Amino acid sequence: AFVNSVGIYLDEFSIASVPNGVANPFLPDMERVEVLRGPQGTTFGRNALGGALNLTSKAPTDKYEGWVKVGAETYDTHGNTENIAAVYNIPVSETFRLRAVGMYEDSTGMVKNVGPGNGAGHKWLNLRLRGSWTPSDATRLNFSVLYGKEHQGADETVPSGVLDLDTTDTFGVGTAVNPGMGFWLNGNQSSYSADLQQRNDLRTVIATANLAQDFGEHLTWKNIAGVIDSKNHRFFDNDLVGNADILSRTNDYTGKSYSFETRLEGHGTPVTWTVGAMYAQDKQDQFNDVAVSSDPTAALPGYPGGLLPPFPPGLGLALNTKHYKVSSVAGFGDVTWHATDKAELFAGLRFTHDKVTRGLQAYGIAPNNPPSPPPTAGFFQSFVNFARPVVNGDASFNDTTPRIGARYQLHDDVSVYATVSKGYKAGGLSMGNAGGTNAPLAQPFNKETMWNYEIGFKSEFADHRVRLNASLFVMRWKDLQMEAFRFLVPGDLSTNFEQTVNLPKAEAKGAEIELTARPTEHITFGGSIGFLNTEILEDQACAVSALDPDCIGGHKKSTITGGFQVSVKGLPIPNSPKSTLNLFSEYRMPFGNNAAWARVEYTHRDPVYSDIEGLTWQQTTGPSPNSGTVRALPYGDFPYKVPAFDVFNLRGGVDLEHLSFNVYVLNLTGEDYYTGSYQKFGLSGIRL
């Protein structure tokens, strides 16, 4: 799905709309970070179904000032990293100020390539210039320009030794190839094997302007505009087995995004209010090519005959161009009534209209004047790419999303609240070319909506030395969007179909508790614990008819890679750990105007499944309906069920008047863990 579920705002401008799906907010020199759970959008910005991160960078000041920070890390697994960050503030005049931030990082990467290709190191350059102009007390113009140039070599992943459905179906193999350094469960947590000079290059430019005009003490008019321009180039060793150059992958993405928002904010008593409107447009153009590399018939351990015919190098096995565009118009309003000194009621409403446009040009493969019939080498050498019919389509979606709630101050340091809100995300079209006819296929999927119900309290006591917050929440989805992947023609990569399916009902119930305490002048401790129980309540909806024999009682299983049909009813939502825990304790000892400190941190996360393939692995253990191949699954639910992990960090330092020195050890106990199994395709197995 192209539309994001979570909003990310930097100085009130949405950067989660980066068309590449990559939002790098560049965090040095931040004033504050706000984490907002649940649907957002009645008070500012774009619609955000799943919550928002509201980031505010430090504004320019009236002093010449700045800082420089240099650092280095070394890893037990492999390599090291060096970085430098700097800030300089320039008060150009009494009304015009600038603040410049820069960061550069150079790393060899944390994993090592034992094959002939390059490593996983990176070089990142990020720059930000924020300016403010205040021609009068009532008029303020804030603007910023961000530039990012990020180059990375190979992915920092390690092979699991368990093949995914896509690799099994493509090559007709069931056992992973050991590229020489073993797999995760054999003790390899820090190396991979690849032949090619891999690249992941991202260049991003963001420009924003925020003009605020006060009309007296109680009314402010804000106008926020911005543009994002990004380019992403990826070149990847797609077979993931060194010394056997079978497949390569190229992805070139370019994207542009812009938005304009205007809103009036009233600051009266007893009512405060906001009313606004916005227009936004996101575009993305993709070039994707999974191609035959230099040695398609390479012999592999366990597969001496090779896995591909002698196709010509450069033949695109999964070659296509795609175009996405989302145009969005919205109006919103929110009002808070301070009924008494202790009670307030709030309500908001948002109307959003989205138009989603998609286009696909896919290319198949076929022999071109073959010199002799198969299975001769000359026959396969004659293969070329041919253009399939172009697929185009668009769809429009509307939704009205309310928010209502109340807060009550039990006394000065304790308040309770309750809120009900609705979130919305646009639907779209899944596109491909159907079967042997190559007929255009544009399969729509519906918008996703979610109701969020939450109650909680916020408190401080013991003379403000203890802060305790807690909340209970329930989220109920309608038409939850989930990604599936399959081939429209079994075994034919060029018919890959990235399909978004709607699951009619899903639910999450949870609780969170946060505590921060300062029992003495020198000691601070705290943490948070979260409990979450999620469940997909229904399979994909369908219309009961003779045309769809798989539709029973209005629901049917989802088809994923290999032709497997799977049921997700009763399973958890991906990436939903049942419990998470974060704890810290810090001791700070001042001496003169300086201080020394030490801090210990602990993080726990319960097991999760990364995606629909992981959720349903027990339903795909048999022969592939397409190829008949059975995957070897020697380790049960590994790697699909990402295991729990417990990580300790230790930090310490000395803060002097103009200098601070910090040291730290991350993952103090050296626990071997991985955080997901998203990266699938490759002969050495799912990558961790």
Side-chain angles (χ1 to χ4, degrees), residues 22-35:
V22 178
N24 183 356
F26 182 37
L27 290 174
D29 203 42
M30 283 289 148
E31 180 69 33
R32 65 182 182 273
V33 175
E34 301 169 7
V35 182

Side-chain angles (χ1 to χ4, degrees), residues 10 109 115 134 151 166 172 206 220 261 280 311 317 343 375 501-502 511 528 534 595:
L10 179 60
T134 53
H151 164 75
D166 189 0
I206 303 175
T220 300
E261 175 184 349
F311 287 132
L317 301 183
V501 298
N502 289 115
S528 63
T534 68

Side-chain angles (χ1 to χ4, degrees), residues 86 88 224 237 312 348 360 380 470 483 495 499 511 580 655-656 686:
Y88 193 59
I224 303 161
D237 188 333
L360 168 68
F380 291 108
E483 301 292 338
T495 65
Q499 183 179 10
T580 54
D655 295 338
L656 307 176
I686 294 169

Side-chain angles (χ1 to χ4, degrees), residues 267-307:
H267 315 289
T269 301
V271 174
T272 60
W273 54 271
T274 297
V275 62
M278 73 163 299
Y279 176 78
Q281 188 178 97
D282 305 322
K283 291 182 179 180
Q284 182 194 64
D285 292 301
Q286 293 186 7
F287 170 80
N288 304 290
D289 186 15
V290 176
V292 176
S293 205
S294 65
D295 192 12
T297 60
L300 298 169
Y303 303 101
L307 300 178

Side-chain angles (χ1 to χ4, degrees), residues 619-631:
Q619 303 175 49
T620 61
T621 58
S624 165
N626 290 343
S627 66
T629 307
V630 178
R631 290 178 303 144

Side-chain angles (χ1 to χ4, degrees), residues 167 171 193-196 236-249 293 295 300 681-685:
T167 307
F171 292 110
S193 183
D195 299 279
L196 301 176
F236 182 63
D237 188 333
N238 214 41
D239 54 73
L240 275 175
V241 179
N243 301 300
D245 188 20
I246 302 172
L247 288 177
S248 68
R249 178 176 177 174
S293 205
D295 192 12
L300 298 169
F681 191 90
L683 287 165
S684 56

